[in-house]
Amino acid sequence: MINSFIKPIFKLNRSITGQGTLDTLKFIKKQFKLLNIKKIKSGTKVFDWKIPKVWKIFDAYILDDQGKKIIDFKISNLHIINYSKKISKWFYFKDIKKNIYFLKRLPSAIPYVTSYYKRNWGFCLSYNDYKKIDHSKKYFFKIDSKFEDGYLNYGEALIKGKSKKEILLSTYVCHPSMANDELSGPAVLTYLANWLSKKKRNFSYRIIFVPETIGSISYISKNYTNIMKNCFGGYNFSCVGDRGNISFIKSKYNNTFIDFVSEYVLKKNKIPFKNHSYMDRGSDERQYCSQGVNLGLNTIMRTKFNDFKEYHTSLDDLNFINEKSLKHSLKVSKLLISYIENSYFPMSKIICEPFMTKRNLYTSINFIKENKDRGILDVLNYCDGNNNIDQIVNYTNINKNKVLSHVNRLKKLKIIK
Ligand code: ZN
């Protein structure tokens, strides 16, 4: 995946809008033919937000007083605050402290900084480069950029299954020149989407590649009715290429089908994993599980964003990720999906308890001692259409074979479907 997917598009200048993101989507479409690239016009209102103008950047650098480039956007697009406005001026470094970003704790790293919604400009450099600055001299700061009306692009595909119920699989395409916290998610999701589309599935799958935050908000806003009607949970993919173990950000109440699936499947396959609370959220699960949406999905990662020191710096590069981890993340994703596909959700056709006596399922004499075996009623109570067999086993504490035999009996009696 590193050579076929991540390397070729690593250096594209991605942002929440613009050519780098569009080129990334076009590249994904080449690998996953079902993808449709969609667009939303700048200025469009999406819930409480507005699609911003498109950021175009042509060149950016810092010159010393001999005319030598000491920082060059063409060497790394992380050198510029993403969405920087234009500047063309001589300054002493001490006079523009607020426009210069470096990390003392990681002296060789260029930090990744953005300012999408408030016009600003700035340069990001390694502390090692910063230390070389001669503070008695002026430097020339040039950013050749502009903002214009255009579109926010995102990619979407619907893989239609037997059921209209959809599993939402989402990732983001807005970070420039970083590997784990950017291209690992799209790489794994693209491979997963191709695998999913190889045969007819039980569920339908909605695959989306969006700029983080504004993209997922736009997507939810444009598709709200369908999402609320058909979405049965799903996964957001982030940071799935590093050497750490698999981890999840659970949904807000940690009580959804997907919350159950994540833990059940990893435990069953003896794959080490870690859960993070929704209070530690940071990627698009923020939108998918937000108030008024509550899709109950999980974010799947290896090491959580922000928990590795290379996070949002130039050190999150091709050496930070590895093929084995990417393939393992893909394998785990397939295990999760296969489990979802094979889940069966019995649903009662009757509201309240059915009249068991007429079906010979319950003693007609209501005497304390004789009402011991209500297992079939326990099982039926959990046949809400949202719980699969393993969840019913968990809730009722009845062993799986017994639950299955109750379910079969209830099916024969036409009480559940
Ligand atoms: Zn990030």
Side-chain angles (χ1 to χ4, degrees):
M1 280 187 236
I2 293 180
N3 285 323
S4 59
F5 192 102
I6 295 179
K7 241 184 209 168
I9 53 172
F10 185 73
K11 289 199 157 199
L12 289 179
N13 187 44
R14 279 170 290 273
S15 182
I16 53 173
T17 62
Q19 196 60 41
T21 304
L22 182 57
D23 288 343
T24 302
L25 291 168
K26 284 180 179 168
F27 177 85
I28 296 170
K29 186 176 170 61
K30 261 192 224 157
Q31 305 223 2
F32 172 47
K33 305 273 184 299
L34 296 177
L35 193 74
N36 296 303
I37 297 174
K38 304 213 164 172
K39 56 185 186 179
I40 310 180
K41 225 179 182 167
S42 319
T44 307
K45 246 198 119 187
V46 286
F47 295 131
D48 201 38
W49 299 58
K50 208 168 83 179
I51 304 291
K53 289 196 179 216
V54 173
W55 179 55
K56 286 193 170 173
I57 176 155
F58 309 98
D59 203 2
Y61 47 82
I62 304 174
L63 298 181
D64 66 14
D65 59 357
Q66 305 299 309
K68 190 182 152 221
K69 274 185 193 171
I70 60 155
I71 295 296
D72 189 351
F73 171 76
K74 283 179 179 150
I75 291 172
S76 171
N77 45 30
L78 292 172
H79 275 315
I80 305 299
I81 291 186
N82 203 294
Y83 255 72
S84 275
K85 63 182 180 183
K86 66 180 177 187
I87 185 88
S88 186
K89 216 173 167 179
W90 290 90
F91 291 107
Y92 290 107
F93 265 83
K94 66 174 168 51
D95 295 333
I96 51 158
K97 276 184 182 156
K98 280 185 186 161
N99 302 87
I100 303 296
Y101 292 81
F102 54 83
L103 290 168
K104 269 190 186 175
R105 65 173 172 89
L106 284 177
S108 66
I110 308 166
Y112 164 54
V113 185
T114 66
S115 182
Y116 301 132
Y117 302 105
K118 195 169 177 203
R119 289 278 181 268
N120 205 333
W121 67 272
F123 282 84
C124 311
L125 50 158
S126 70
Y127 185 57
N128 290 338
D129 279 344
Y130 179 77
K131 280 190 294 189
K132 291 179 199 155
I133 303 295
D134 183 343
H135 291 277
S136 67
K137 287 180 176 165
K138 274 190 163 180
Y139 290 83
F140 185 67
F141 294 78
K142 174 79 180 182
I143 297 176
D144 183 9
S145 66
K146 66 175 178 181
F147 299 93
E148 53 180 46
D149 284 326
Y151 299 93
L152 173 145
N153 293 106
Y154 66 93
E156 180 191 26
L158 176 66
I159 301 171
K160 278 190 188 161
K162 289 174 200 155
S163 164
K164 275 192 170 169
K165 287 285 172 204
E166 294 175 5
I167 302 295
L168 179 73
L169 303 174
S170 176
T171 193
Y172 49 89
V173 285
C174 54
H175 298 38
S177 303
M178 280 172 292
N180 200 34
D181 185 22
E182 182 42 73
L183 291 173
S184 68
V188 169
L189 184 52
T190 300
Y191 279 69
L192 184 67
N194 274 326
W195 171 78
L196 271 169
S197 60
K198 272 197 190 115
K199 64 173 193 183
K200 190 82 171 175
R201 304 285 172 176
N202 292 327
F203 278 98
S204 294
Y205 289 84
R206 183 80 59 173
I207 317 282
I208 68 168
F209 298 84
V210 282
E212 217 173 15
T213 310
I214 184 75
S216 51
I217 290 171
S218 302
Y219 185 79
I220 294 166
S221 155
K222 281 195 80 166
N223 299 281
Y224 191 68
T225 314
N226 178 59
I227 285 173
M228 296 318 284
K229 194 173 155 211
N230 291 321
C231 185
F232 201 74
Y235 285 94
N236 175 48
F237 292 75
S238 171
C239 304
V240 283
D242 65 274
R243 284 163 179 83
N245 285 335
I246 293 284
S247 72
F248 296 99
I249 294 175
K250 307 308 292 288
S251 79
K252 197 155 62 184
Y253 300 106
N254 194 8
N255 67 352
T256 67
F257 172 59
I258 296 295
D259 289 311
F260 174 80
V261 170
S262 302
E263 287 190 38
Y264 186 86
V265 171
L266 273 86
K267 275 184 196 161
K268 203 176 166 207
N269 290 282
K270 299 193 170 63
I271 300 167
F273 72 101
K274 187 178 171 181
N275 282 335
H276 298 277
S277 144
Y278 186 68
M279 295 304 281
D280 294 328
R281 67 196 179 278
S283 181
D284 278 333
E285 73 282 349
R286 284 162 30 225
Q287 315 312 330
Y288 296 130
C289 295
S290 74
Q291 74 286 359
V293 186
N294 286 322
L295 298 184
L297 55 63
N298 286 180
T299 286
I300 179 167
M301 304 159 294
R302 302 194 76 87
T303 307
K304 189 174 80 67
F305 40 80
N306 233 338
D307 283 0
F308 52 97
K309 68 178 191 317
E310 297 83 355
Y311 169 72
H312 277 194
T313 75
S314 57
L315 301 185
D316 179 2
D317 60 10
L318 296 169
N319 296 317
F320 181 65
I321 56 168
N322 71 94
E323 194 67 26
K324 201 177 147 200
S325 296
L326 288 162
K327 282 191 176 146
H328 182 255
S329 300
L330 178 62
K331 187 185 124 188
V332 171
S333 308
K334 287 180 184 173
L335 287 172
L336 293 166
I337 300 286
S338 300
Y339 181 79
I340 292 170
E341 279 288 302
N342 292 322
S343 284
Y344 166 67
F345 305 88
M347 185 161 168
S348 175
K349 293 197 272 189
I350 296 169
I351 294 172
C352 294
E353 284 180 6
F355 188 46
M356 298 304 238
T357 309
K358 83 176 174 195
R359 295 179 172 91
N360 256 337
L361 278 169
Y362 208 58
T363 171
S364 54
I365 299 186
N366 192 358
F367 177 56
I368 302 164
K369 273 186 185 164
E370 287 186 21
N371 285 347
K372 276 185 294 187
D373 185 25
R374 58 169 206 187
I376 195 161
L377 281 182
D378 287 338
V379 169
L380 178 60
N381 243 280
Y382 287 96
C383 292
D384 294 319
N386 302 316
N387 300 316
N388 74 2
I389 300 294
D390 292 320
Q391 284 174 289
I392 296 174
V393 169
N394 266 13
Y395 285 128
T396 59
N397 239 335
I398 299 171
N399 80 52
K400 192 165 178 173
N401 286 336
K402 193 82 194 160
V403 168
L404 284 169
S405 98
H406 285 323
V407 165
N408 281 334
R409 194 152 178 219
L410 289 164
K411 218 152 71 179
K412 271 190 200 132
L413 290 161
K414 298 191 166 61
I415 293 173
I416 60 168
K417 55 182 179 186

